[in-house]
């Protein structure tokens, strides 16, 4: 098996198992067995479990953010003031997917952030990238203090993700969207 194929299989397997059950609940032997990659090849690709977790999170970050930005872009709403709210529409769709288990970055940080500086860094980078995207959307909407407003929207997003995961109800995205609309209207009124 070529290295690229092995890496893809390992990452696909790691993503499915880590996201469903948590990083600590899944051993490397199980990753090997489910992926069909030999133990030797697994350790050639990822000499330590932490390296596999980091690679899984980095790939998930890229795909997650591409899905979100693609959703907002494809809606092509002519009113830039409504674009930040499209994020919450995307969240609703994500929360409604079978197998939704919350934020892989919050989950991984909660499990390993205290013992793995690298996993903590990846989780922070994900949140920082999402915040920067929100800053762009809010800035394009003409809102002053885009950085501060983006921070507040990020809190609404993280709260909605956590609530939807724990309660099992995608409507958390709609409630957060209502709060975000109120926040954005309030900021525009003060400007």
């Amino acid at each position: 098996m070529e290295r690229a194929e092995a890496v893809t299989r390992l990452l696909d397997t790691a993503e499915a198992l880590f996201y469903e059950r948590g990083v600590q609940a899944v051993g490397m032997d199980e990753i090997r067995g489910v992926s069909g990659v030999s133990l030797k090849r697994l350790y050639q690709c990822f000499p330590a479990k932490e390296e596999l977790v980091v690679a899984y999170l980095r790939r998930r970050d890229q795909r997650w953010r591409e899905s979100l930005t693609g959703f907002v872009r494809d809606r092509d709403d002519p009113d830039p003031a409504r674009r930040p709210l499209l994020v919450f529409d995307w969240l609703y769709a994500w929360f409604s997917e079978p197998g939704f288990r919350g934020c892989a970055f919050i989950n991984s940080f909660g499990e390993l952030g205290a013992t793995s500086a690298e996993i903590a860094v990846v989780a922070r980078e994900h949140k920082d990238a999402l915040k920067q995207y929100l800053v762009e959307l809010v800035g394009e909407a003409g809102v002053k203090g885009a950085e501060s407003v983006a921070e507040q929207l990020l809190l609404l997003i993280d709260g909605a993700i956590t609530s939807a995961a724990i309660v099992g109800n995608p409507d958390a995205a709609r409630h957060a969207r209502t709060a975000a609309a109120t926040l954005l209207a309030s900021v525009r009124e003060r400007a």
Side-chain angles (χ1 to χ4, degrees), residues 3-84:
R3 180 180 174 83
E5 180 186 352
V7 167
T8 298
R9 282 180 164 193
L10 290 166
L11 288 173
D12 289 347
T13 301
E15 182 164 8
L17 294 175
F18 290 161
Y19 187 66
E20 180 184 349
R21 296 187 4 230
V23 172
Q24 294 183 48
V26 178
M28 292 296 268
D29 193 52
E30 185 175 6
I31 297 283
R32 180 206 51 78
V34 174
S35 69
V37 174
S38 73
L39 195 59
K40 180 180 178 182
R41 177 58 99 180
L42 185 157
Y43 283 108
Q44 286 172 343
C45 296
F46 300 102
K49 185 177 181 180
E50 182 182 48
E51 290 180 37
L52 178 60
V53 175
V54 167
Y56 139 69
L57 289 172
R58 288 200 187 284
R59 185 176 81 156
R60 186 169 178 97
D61 169 63
Q62 180 182 355
R63 291 187 350 217
W64 191 92
R65 288 188 299 116
E66 285 173 359
S67 177
L68 171 61
T69 58
F71 180 92
V72 172
R73 181 187 59 246
D74 292 347
R75 295 310 169 274
D76 198 27
D77 193 316
D79 183 356
R82 288 193 300 257
R83 286 190 201 125

Side-chain angles (χ1 to χ4, degrees), residues 19-20 60 92-102:
Y19 187 66
E20 180 184 349
R60 186 169 178 97
Y92 181 83
W94 177 42
F95 297 171
S96 300
E97 291 176 2
F100 171 74
R101 299 280 186 275

